[in-house]
Amino acid sequence: AIVGVLGLGAMGMGGMGMGHVTTSSSDSDGSSGTLKIGDATIDLDKLKDAGKQMEAASKQIADSANGKADGSTAPAVVPVSTDQLKGLLPASVAGYARGDVTANSGAVAGIGGSNAQAEYTKDGGAHFTLSITDMGAAGGFAAIASAFGVESSKETATGYQKVGKVGGRMTTEEWDRQSKNGKYSWLVANRFVVDAEGGGGDIEDLKQAVQSVKPADIRALIGK
């Protein structure tokens, strides 16, 4: 799901154009406030924070490729443990019972991440997978998409796709009424993705599943 968020974020930036740009700044140097490009409003403070996260991610990639002076290649942002993520997966939600739980962690180019997910089913064959992913330092890229307030929507003959902020949180939603399949996800703390994907039920089931993983509990894992 996060690939869709970031991909649409990039496409949204490309499609905004620069025909209508306005700023509202609270500092004389323009370092805080908002910037409006087309229909998107950018929070400059959040953009600045996102830039710092991206800088940390880029530095970690360089450290991994070139090697640090002390030979260490520890991630710049250490992902939370898979056991902690598994602890956030509910035993049941929206009438669905939890089944198999799996977890994994690893690193790509020195950027670590972790994930835990569980299968949920109920009578009648409806099912979905609920997943929690810690992107670690790579969350800086997600923060950029969030700061730009990207929105996108598409209607099809049998369903829809939407990306945008819901309650201040970057969210993706997709549902096909004919096949009764879809997915729902949101971004927490510009670092964690909570995602539910499945079918046989209703999009509201997927929303309830994602919302059952409380953002406050996720933030507590990193002391925020």
Side-chain angles (χ1 to χ4, degrees):
I2 195 59
V3 174
V5 171
L6 298 180
L8 285 169
M11 288 189 289
M13 285 299 297
M16 285 176 190
M18 298 295 290
H20 179 60
V21 178
T22 60
T23 61
S24 173
S25 175
S26 58
D27 292 347
S28 58
D29 63 357
S31 61
S32 66
T34 61
L35 172 67
K36 190 172 180 63
I37 303 178
D39 295 327
T41 300
I42 303 166
D43 185 317
L44 297 181
D45 289 324
K46 290 182 179 179
L47 187 60
K48 184 163 56 178
D49 289 342
K52 292 178 180 178
Q53 292 184 52
M54 289 187 67
E55 183 179 359
S58 298
K59 182 178 185 300
Q60 180 58 24
I61 292 174
D63 286 342
S64 178
N66 302 322
K68 296 180 180 178
D70 62 1
S72 171
T73 57
V77 176
V78 179
V80 302
S81 72
T82 55
D83 284 341
Q84 289 176 299
L85 295 181
K86 286 192 292 184
L88 298 179
L89 295 167
S92 62
V93 59
Y96 292 74
R98 188 179 66 197
D100 293 345
V101 179
T102 59
N104 59 79
S105 62
V108 176
I111 298 179
S114 57
N115 167 271
Q117 63 181 43
E119 304 297 326
Y120 292 81
T121 59
K122 72 175 181 179
D123 293 343
H127 61 91
F128 63 80
T129 300
L130 178 61
S131 172
I132 309 172
T133 301
D134 179 2
M135 297 184 291
F141 298 98
I144 286 288
S146 180
F148 276 99
V150 174
E151 291 187 0
S152 176
S153 65
K154 177 182 178 181
E155 292 284 343
T156 68
T158 60
Y160 63 89
Q161 299 174 6
K162 296 191 293 185
V163 174
K165 284 193 174 182
V166 177
R169 185 172 291 109
M170 184 64 75
T171 303
T172 67
E173 180 178 342
E174 182 177 331
W175 188 252
D176 187 289
R177 292 181 291 270
Q178 190 173 61
S179 65
K180 291 189 176 181
N181 278 283
K183 56 188 175 182
Y184 187 82
S185 68
W186 66 19
L187 180 67
V188 178
N190 288 329
R191 172 173 164 178
F192 297 85
V193 177
V194 184
D195 171 87
E197 182 171 358
D202 187 85
I203 185 63
E204 292 303 320
D205 295 342
L206 303 184
K207 290 182 179 181
Q208 286 186 50
V210 169
Q211 293 162 5
S212 72
V213 182
K214 304 301 182 184
D217 292 339
I218 293 177
R219 290 179 180 277
L221 297 178
I222 55 175
K224 289 188 177 182

